[in-house]
Amino acid sequence: TSSTEGITETADPVDGQPSPSPTSPEPTPTPEALIASVNGLPITLKEYEAELAMYEAAAERTPTQEDKQRVLDDMINQAILADSAAQTGLAVDKTALEERLEQVSENIGGPGKLAEWMQAYSFDEDSFRRALERSINAARMRDEIAARVPDTAEQAHVRQVLFTDQAEAENALVGLEAGNIFDNLANEYDPITQGDLGWFPRGYVADAQLEEYAFSLEIGQYSPVFETPAGFHIIVVLERDPQRPLESEARLMLQIAELEKWMEEQREQGDIEIFTP
């Protein structure tokens, strides 16, 4: 007998001569089910279920529909960050990924403990490697975005008096305009802090009106009475500095705002598909 690629020969039932018969084709691997695709990068259903199981273990309760959506949104955001890291040359290389895998294994107690952990959350080696790589790349991109926020910024030093009644606030403003000292008013309504809001940059305070007055009033000038969910305010600007070093809390808030802005832009521009599991 002889053979060629894809064909074997068997004896013909009529004349005993070999006749070719096709070999059974190799089975095609079934593609993994997806929960989402981000700019062509897959997020598998298995990975999503593993993340959801970890969320459930941490929360110690059955995830609600909102929880499930939050987990998926976080994975999509992470994929967006990881994709951008790859596009900008920040992605982890194979050597660094292997080192990180070894570190994770050591931290959890060795390969056996890592295997148990992976099995508990339905990770296989490939899905865990993908999840870890995506996490590292996302963190690198997140750090790069945060670093765009400078160490200094224009800031204002502001004091305020807060009222619960508008008429009372208007009367207090009339008194200030007639010569009453702001110190007296602040001491009456806020004897502990004297209404001192400290220094803050643009984008730090929640209310847009307060920020607008803080960065537009002249030094020593009072604002009109304005309302926020907290009540009725009168503020005075004590100082402004065009390049004051940011306190760590203020810089962190600006970094979070920068990341949220970047993420919103990427979601609008990106190709994101979500599949029903």
Side-chain angles (χ1 to χ4, degrees):
T1 64
S2 64
S3 65
T4 59
E5 184 178 355
I7 297 177
T8 60
E9 293 184 342
T10 58
D12 186 272
V14 177
D15 55 16
Q17 296 299 315
S19 62
S21 63
T23 301
S24 299
E26 292 293 329
T28 303
T30 303
E32 288 191 73
L34 303 184
I35 188 70
S37 172
V38 177
N39 299 330
L41 301 177
I43 299 176
T44 68
L45 182 59
K46 179 182 291 187
E47 291 169 324
Y48 167 73
E49 289 173 342
E51 292 289 341
L52 193 60
M54 286 189 287
Y55 181 94
E56 181 175 357
E60 297 182 341
R61 59 179 171 81
T62 302
T64 64
Q65 193 58 43
E66 289 183 357
D67 293 332
K68 294 177 181 179
Q69 186 61 50
R70 186 180 299 112
V71 169
L72 180 57
D73 285 341
D74 286 347
M75 293 186 74
I76 289 172
N77 289 344
Q78 190 180 69
I80 291 172
L81 286 161
D83 179 51
S84 185
Q87 298 299 324
T88 54
L90 294 173
V92 64
D93 60 29
K94 291 183 178 180
T95 301
L97 180 59
E98 291 300 327
E99 290 175 353
R100 180 59 179 149
L101 281 166
E102 290 180 7
Q103 183 181 5
V104 170
S105 179
E106 290 176 5
N107 290 343
I108 205 170
K113 291 291 185 181
L114 178 59
E116 290 177 11
W117 182 90
M118 289 168 56
Q119 185 177 13
Y121 293 107
S122 301
F123 277 115
D124 58 27
E125 185 174 343
D126 289 339
S127 61
F128 178 70
R129 182 183 293 269
R130 285 196 303 267
L132 181 61
E133 183 176 14
R134 187 166 55 232
S135 175
I136 294 171
N137 290 340
R140 288 186 171 194
M141 192 65 209
R142 191 181 297 113
D143 289 345
E144 195 279 333
I145 295 168
R148 298 174 188 175
V149 176
D151 294 325
T152 62
E154 181 187 12
Q155 296 184 64
H157 183 193
V158 173
R159 291 175 74 187
Q160 75 164 353
V161 182
L162 178 62
F163 307 85
T164 57
D165 180 76
Q166 184 174 9
E168 187 178 9
E170 297 290 355
N171 288 335
L173 182 60
V174 170
L176 287 171
E177 293 171 343
N180 189 17
I181 300 174
F182 194 91
D183 288 355
N184 296 336
L185 196 62
N187 185 60
E188 178 183 353
Y189 285 90
D190 189 358
I192 297 177
T193 69
Q194 300 289 301
D196 193 345
L197 298 180
W199 288 90
F200 57 83
R202 296 179 188 273
Y204 182 75
V205 295
D207 188 78
Q209 287 185 93
L210 197 158
E211 179 179 290
E212 176 62 26
Y213 287 126
F215 289 95
S216 62
L217 293 172
E218 298 293 332
I219 304 301
Q221 182 183 3
Y222 305 123
S223 73
V225 174
F226 62 95
E227 184 181 6
T228 74
F232 299 90
H233 306 249
I234 301 172
I235 72 165
V236 60
V237 179
L238 303 179
E239 307 171 82
R240 257 198 305 271
D241 187 335
Q243 289 296 326
R244 183 178 177 83
L246 287 164
E247 296 290 338
S248 57
E249 181 182 354
R251 188 163 188 263
L252 177 60
M253 286 191 65
L254 295 184
Q255 288 173 331
I256 292 172
E258 181 72 15
L259 178 60
E260 289 176 347
K261 178 184 175 183
W262 181 90
M263 188 64 70
E264 183 178 352
E265 292 173 352
Q266 295 300 312
R267 276 182 168 268
E268 290 177 354
Q269 299 170 7
D271 180 15
I272 301 172
E273 294 182 274
I274 298 175
F275 309 104
T276 303

